[in-house]
């Protein structure tokens, strides 16, 4: 019997390794407040990893339109919160992290005292409404915990959350007129008439259910809630601010504004009244569901049957500790840990859980489905996240990444267009940005052996998606080998990204032994060449007749055939074959010159003004780190004879673009893509072309790291002679073997082992 | 073995009796066209008994508002069709029968030829849009079948239906440009912005799914559909006429108007294009569901997997034959059969089925429920139908009536207000009209022994409903014994009806042995007395201070304390105790004088103008048969010494108010209440006070009838010496026993037997 016992012990070892006892509280280094100032578009509130609920303060709810025109200020409020604001309008339960358009902000709750005010008031006169002044001195934002003092009402607000339930704890002063407002008119990116319908039922003296249906970035979205109060309200009421109120005839027979338990309309605000003693805590549990109020109630009862705020917070932070401890880093500098774990925190916010505890979720067809054998996720900002976030998940969150892919395949199954998601959230496709970048996510997982799903069906979905002739210039792309600018704007970006996506399909087909598909898409993958204008050395838009467009500015991003990037940046976008690009661009020297100039040139202000989504800090020369198209660019030196420049650039970008301060992000975090770039780069490698098993080596910014993989293996990164100045990698050794090329294979990480960087200050 | 065999044979006898071989085609006598002219508000289209689908032509879709004001013409189109109209805009799938407000008209389909027109055009210029001229000469309306020639398009349209599926058959001319329009902007009682949202998916080249969500009489209603074409469309497209279109940014990247399979918005019209040969038939199957498009598809596949139009029509008409043959009548006059079976047809249209084939349905809480052990129904026009329709169901449709009550109890369970339905349809309470007349429906079933449900729970629901202090003057009613007019309009009508409903609760409580409740509500049932002003001999509104209101007009219905009736009519509304009323009003002579005058007086035109819902024909003297409050009035003579006057009045009312012609109904059919009055009265008895097991005898209008009861028993009505002039009942014998009182007991009918009327032309 000894041998089996030993075998069992050995078998248990990986499991033990999988749940290590962390020596350090890593939650302390993750700062939700980072990125809340200016363009980061992150939110400071409470959420658990990949949670359905993001319970967070909104400092304003700005309408998308002002006097019938686009209101540019709406853009600042993509996550509901701007650090420089002085007032809070309330706490809502759903927020995107780092997006460049937005939505959500469901179910705004605000506790107040004094005479009932049902309008939010203005930021300059907070006392004109229910909003309150606050101060950052009285504010704490931690993973799964947020606290703020609401000065105008003398109420301490604390928030925490489980996956599907937000828990509020409000400490009131003594008050005969304490109120809790439930504002269903509020929302993020509030288009005129964004609210399609809202519906509320007061089920009893402490339970309220309902839903909010919106027409915004998600065209047809419904979010359901169940809201439980820890104390029965004394009375309640509602006001409907909508003009649309059909047939009032018999409804007017009796008072439906006060203590009437059923409300419906476009613009509802409700209030619930209490008497409170000094220091009395009233708690609220708000459970969400995409399915029904019944589903929300089920989620509430399953996830948070009790009222223990401290315990809920503790459990939420324990979840964060578990996720963050997948990587432990060494560094003598606090700022490195703050940056790293804040980035990891932001990377583990989305995609978000989108199913009830019983597995039911609302599908793209608006029917209710049940996720069988996977957890259904939503919030797929794929144009951003295919680059580094999903590759990061293939290392640190392989099971979740596979579930996300199953969710994307379910989307495909439910899609009337027979398309994988482009940018999808909450049972909707919002068609945001270009390409079909589900494809690299699926291909990357297949190539990297993280495909506990039907890989051939996934490939079929990729192929079907990539053959939709009606889609965004794709018909012309198939006929002509490029998207003609006179038919479809941003044509160069589209062509380049299609070509890369096509290459991904070819790689997956190759791996799965489907040569017909491999051949078809390998050929398509070369289409990037059709965009290159040899005469000027840049990618350049072409017209249907085959000619390059005459009017052309290589620095402008405005109507030049590109999107979120100019020709200077996008001309580098052939991640699937940098070597061929280098050859095309005239070889090492000319290519390196172009690449250098990207980081060093002076970009005139007028071009900056055109650049979307980023602050001035988000640009280095003409390199726009705040947008994604050049995220791989710094690593391209690895394909030249000057890989040391990659190392220098990366170490320059890292501290410039990531600081553990409210304004510490140089652009939208884009659902974690910016943060994933930080994590990979800080660790010393980066996935230039997801769909390839190779990472390009850069220059690690930390002193060492341990990756605890779900296989039970451990991958250790050791950095010798690390310092701010020692940015060059003199030598890299994998498991003792010196690396002769500045590349690392995915399997080498997943197998466990050690990567040693030996740093130097000079070449 | 002989004895059991004999027993089995005997046991089978009732079953044989239950499904008799009808000697006669009764469907031929039921004319859906009756009541489609002027105020009947019936629809001529295809439906099966109590079916979910009412597939019927709409001659116009009128907006509730015109230039910002109420458009009185909308009222004419409660059922979508007005006989005098010359054009049809299309065929929609849901219609109320005979209501006085309205809703529905979902999913208008119109086949056309020629250049595509996506607007309906105007009635005076049908060629300005997709609507078509038609002629009654080319129109056939039968139970479960409707046919019309669409002159402008040279298309023969035929419609039939199963319970949940409408089947269209369009015979086209040769056309290169044949279209089928799906108009989701159309609807009945179209308030401005009544459409809250519509959603459509083109699943493949012949299947379309979607839903329409409206804010109308039902505040929060969603109807789902699955639409299958027999022939693939060549191409399709959509146009969104709504102003509300948020975030178009990335949606505009590609053409979403043509052959794009997903559409959503407030105001959508779609078209599907075909080429047709001369005489080619294109068929459409439109399945409905209140649950989901998945539910609609399930209904489609379960109920109508094939395409056989003739068979579907045959099966639909067979269902009608089965229902109509529950009563066979004898009469030498065709008009009697036409009237009788048309009335029976109208009585068997609603309440309508409101659950999918798998038992799932949308509840009042907007969650999806499953009907366990009953069929869920909706469309409860209870202020109307408690009077005679539900009592009729207790005789002819006891199982359905019990299921309807189960549906009402489910509504109660789901009601945030803890109320039984007042007027409910499609998962909504519309609060229409007064009282809580679920109560008499429940009580009547309990009293009459048709309660295969938990009668005590039903009684509890009645009691809870009747104690809701916030409801429509009920708080004051409980405090003062009447509803004060200065607090709540129509106060006399409310008080009288509450008192009657309360009496019903007392009766049920008595039967169920719950004396506390019996006592409480027996006392409340006397509250009618508080409305009677002894000095003037009329019911009269009182104020909070106890005084009768000074300004008062016994003939006006306008702001006099009544609704759909004046004091002259409503003063007779004590159905629970006519004897006490007679005593209160000064005894036989004075009461009879009042009752006589009701039928004989001249009502000045100015009062008629105030009377809602009826044509001039709907009034006899001051007796308003077109409204319900006096429906029992003609039978009240039975409590005086002049019961022969009941017989004369009833025989006068019947031919005057019911004719088998389009304009044959003197007022709204009100979901079958008017028709149920006809059926009872034509058979010779009427339920003056549902909740009592007694019927008042009148004067049969037919020559004989056989009621085949679900128990297997047969109740035979034999009329001797019948003629138009022999309106008086000289003698009535039940099973050979002469009746000494002009009343009949429910159990005497259900036990089976024979009622013989011997008629005479003189007293």
């Amino acid at each position: 019997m000894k041998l089996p016992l030993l075998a069992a012990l050995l078998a248990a070892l990986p499991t033990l390794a999988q749940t290590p006892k962390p020596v350090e509280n890593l939650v302390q280094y993750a700062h939700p407040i980072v990125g809340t100032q200016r363009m980061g578009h992150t939110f400071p509130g409470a959420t658990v990893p990949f949670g359905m609920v993001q319970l967070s303060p909104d400092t304003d709810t700005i309408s998308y339109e002002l006097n019938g025109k686009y209101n540019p200020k709406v853009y600042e409020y993509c996550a509901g919160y701007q650090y420089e604001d002085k007032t809070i309008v309330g706490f809502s339960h759903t927020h995107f992290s780092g997006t460049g358009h937005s939505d959500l902000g469901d179910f705004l709750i605000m506790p107040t005292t004094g005479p009932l005010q049902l309008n939010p008031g203005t930021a300059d006169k907070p006392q004109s409404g229910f909003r309150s002044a606050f101060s950052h001195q009285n504010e704490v934002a931690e993973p799964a915990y947020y606290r703020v003092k609401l000065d105008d009402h003398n109420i301490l607000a604390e928030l925490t959350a489980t996956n599907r339930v937000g828990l509020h704890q409000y400490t009131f002063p003594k008050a005969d007129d304490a109120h809790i407002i439930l504002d269903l008119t509020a929302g993020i990116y509030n288009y005129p008439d964004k609210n399609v319908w809202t519906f509320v039922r007061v089920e009893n003296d402490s339970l309220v259910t309902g839903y909010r249906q919106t027409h915004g970035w998600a065209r047809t979205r419904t979010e359901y809630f169940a809201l439980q109060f820890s104390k029965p309200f004394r009375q309640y009421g509602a006001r409907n601010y909508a003009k649309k109120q059909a047939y009032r005839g018999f409804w007017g027979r009796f008072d439906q504004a006060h203590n009437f338990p059923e409300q419906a309309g476009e613009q509802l605000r409700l209030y619930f009244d209490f008497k409170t003693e000094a220091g009395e805590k009233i708690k609220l549990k708000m459970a969400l569901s995409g399915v029904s109020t019944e589903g929300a109630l089920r989620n509430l009862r399953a996830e948070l049957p009790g009222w223990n705020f401290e315990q809920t917070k503790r459990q939420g932070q324990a979840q964060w500790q578990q996720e963050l401890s997948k990587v432990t880093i060494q560094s003598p500098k606090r700022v490195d840990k703050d940056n790293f774990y804040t980035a990891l925190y932001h990377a583990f916010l989305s995609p978000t859980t989108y199913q009830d505890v019983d597995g039911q979720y609302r599908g793209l067809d608006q029917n209710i489905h049940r996720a069988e054998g996977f957890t259904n996720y939503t919030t797929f900002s794929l144009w951003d996240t295919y680059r580094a976030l999903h590759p990061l998940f293939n290392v640190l969150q392989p099971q979740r990444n596979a579930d996300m892919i199953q969710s994307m395949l379910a989307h495909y199954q439910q899609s009337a267009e027979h398309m994988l998601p482009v940018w999808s959230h909450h049972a909707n496709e919002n068609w945001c940005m270009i390409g079909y970048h589900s494809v690299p996510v699926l291909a990357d997982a297949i190539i990297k052996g993280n495909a506990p799903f039907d890989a051939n069906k996934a490939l079929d979905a990729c192929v079907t998606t990539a053959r939709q002739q009606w889609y965004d210039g794709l018909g012309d792309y198939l006929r002509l080998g490029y998207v003609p600018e006179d038919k479809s704007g941003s044509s160069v970006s589209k062509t380049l990204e299609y070509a890369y996506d096509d290459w991904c399909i070819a790689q997956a087909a190759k791996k799965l032994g489907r040569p017909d598909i491999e051949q078809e898409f390998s050929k398509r993958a070369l289409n990037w060449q059709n965009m290159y204008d040899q005469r000027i050395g840049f990618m350049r838009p072409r017209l249907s007749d085959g000619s390059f467009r005459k009017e052309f500015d290589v620095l402008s991003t405005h109507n030049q055939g590109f999107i979120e990037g100019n020709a200077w940046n996008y001309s580098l976008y052939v991640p699937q074959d940098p070597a061929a690009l280098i050859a095309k661009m005239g070889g090492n020297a000319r290519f390196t010159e172009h690449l250098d100039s990207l980081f060093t040139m002076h970009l005139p202000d007028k071009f900056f003004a055109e650049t979307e989504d980023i602050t001035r800090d988000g640009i280095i020369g003409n390199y726009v780190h705040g947008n994604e198209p050049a995220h791989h660019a710094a690593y391209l030196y690895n394909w030249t004879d000057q890989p040391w420049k990659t190392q220098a650039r990366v170490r320059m970008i890292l501290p410039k673009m990531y600081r553990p301060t409210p304004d510490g992000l140089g652009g939208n975090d884009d659902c974690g893509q910016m943060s994933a770039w930080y994590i990979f780069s800080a660790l010393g490698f980066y996935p230039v072309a997801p769909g390839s098993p190779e990472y390009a080596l850069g220059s690690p910014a930390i002193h060492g790291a341990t990756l605890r993989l779900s296989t039970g293996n451990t991958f250790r990164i050791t950095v010798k002679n690390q310092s701010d100045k020692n940015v060059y990698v003199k030598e890299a050794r994998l498991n003792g073997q010196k690396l002769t090329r500045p590349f690392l294979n995915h399997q080498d990480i997943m197998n466990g082992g050690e990567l040693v960087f030996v740093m130097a200050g000079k070449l």
Side-chain angles (χ1 to χ4, degrees), chain A residues 84-372:
Chain A
E84 283 164 25
D85 286 349
K86 306 296 182 204
T87 66
I88 283 173
V89 291
F91 307 99
S92 72
H93 294 76
T94 52
H95 295 83
F96 286 136
S97 179
T99 54
H101 286 273
S102 202
D103 205 336
L104 314 183
D106 300 298
F107 313 135
L108 186 95
I109 296 276
M110 184 67 177
T112 70
T113 53
L116 177 67
Q117 288 178 302
L118 267 185
N119 69 79
T122 56
D124 54 333
K125 286 189 187 168
Q127 281 151 356
S128 63
F130 60 69
R131 78 166 76 201
S132 172
F134 78 107
S135 149
H136 294 304
Q137 289 175 327
N138 297 323
E139 186 185 36
V140 171
E142 298 174 4
Y145 180 64
Y146 177 85
R147 180 175 74 215
V148 74
K149 177 79 181 300
L150 299 171
D151 293 335
D152 291 356
H153 306 299
N154 193 19
I155 293 169
L156 180 71
E158 294 174 281
L159 312 174
T160 186
T162 65
N163 191 332
R164 298 168 179 86
V165 188
L167 178 59
H168 309 234
Q169 178 169 276
Y170 298 124
T171 306
F172 279 85
K174 180 168 173 57
D176 285 347
D177 48 5
H179 317 281
I180 289 177
I181 310 286
L182 170 60
D183 184 352
L184 294 172
T185 75
I188 292 172
Y189 251 61
N190 250 351
Y191 293 87
D193 301 319
K194 176 169 177 175
N195 269 15
V196 169
W197 202 245
T198 57
F199 181 85
V200 178
R201 285 163 57 98
V202 180
E203 305 283 354
N204 58 44
D205 65 6
S206 56
L207 176 65
V208 182
T209 62
Y211 63 79
R212 175 174 183 244
Q213 183 183 352
T214 55
H215 170 46
W217 204 19
R219 190 161 54 172
T220 302
R221 187 177 73 92
T222 310
E223 192 77 41
Y224 299 84
F225 73 85
L227 171 63
Q228 180 89 54
F229 293 76
S230 64
K231 177 182 182 174
F233 28 84
R234 298 171 57 223
Q235 56 191 25
Y236 64 96
R239 202 172 299 161
N240 188 349
Y241 292 79
K243 278 169 290 181
K244 181 200 285 190
Q245 293 188 45
Y247 190 65
R248 301 295 306 171
F250 284 91
W251 299 346
R253 278 190 295 151
F254 41 87
D255 180 8
Q256 298 200 8
H258 302 95
N259 300 309
F260 189 74
E262 202 189 1
Q263 302 291 335
E266 270 192 348
Q267 302 292 338
L268 291 177
R269 292 197 184 106
L270 286 90
Y271 61 90
F272 303 89
D273 291 346
F274 301 85
K275 278 190 187 174
T276 54
E277 298 304 321
E280 181 175 351
K281 288 177 168 52
I282 296 180
K283 299 177 200 176
L284 277 65
K285 295 187 284 198
M286 169 76 90
L288 303 187
S289 166
V291 173
S292 62
T293 59
E294 193 188 10
L297 258 177
R298 204 161 24 226
N299 292 340
L300 180 70
R301 285 164 185 161
E303 286 194 355
L304 195 48
W307 286 106
N308 193 324
F309 187 90
E310 282 307 316
Q311 187 189 41
T312 307
K313 172 189 168 187
R314 237 178 3 251
Q315 288 168 347
Q317 296 199 330
Q319 284 185 59
W320 276 114
Q321 173 70 14
Q322 192 183 350
E323 296 298 334
L324 298 178
S325 64
K326 287 180 172 170
V327 187
T328 46
I329 65 164
Q330 288 81 50
S331 172
K333 287 186 295 182
R334 167 89 192 205
V335 64
D336 287 344
K337 290 189 177 177
D338 287 339
N339 272 330
F340 193 89
Y341 290 105
T342 297
L344 213 49
Y345 171 83
H346 281 143
F348 290 171
L349 290 176
S350 43
T352 51
T353 305
Y354 193 61
Q355 66 170 41
D356 289 349
V357 288
D358 64 357
Q360 289 193 89
Y361 69 96
R362 184 169 299 272
L364 194 60
D365 56 3
Q366 302 302 313
N367 285 316
I368 304 307
H369 299 262
R370 195 179 287 268
E372 302 285 1

Side-chain angles (χ1 to χ4, degrees), chain A residues 666-719:
Chain A
N668 304 158
D669 195 57
D670 284 321
C671 291
Q673 164 58 24
M674 288 279 282
S675 290
W677 193 96
Y678 180 90
I679 293 157
F680 271 124
S681 295
L683 292 174
F685 53 95
Y686 187 83
V688 166
S692 152
E694 259 189 356
Y695 300 90
L697 290 187
S699 171
I702 40 87
H703 288 243
T706 304
L707 278 61
R708 287 176 195 81
L709 307 169
S710 62
T711 54
N713 297 335
T714 297
F715 186 69
R716 167 109 199 106
I717 296 162
T718 304
V719 187

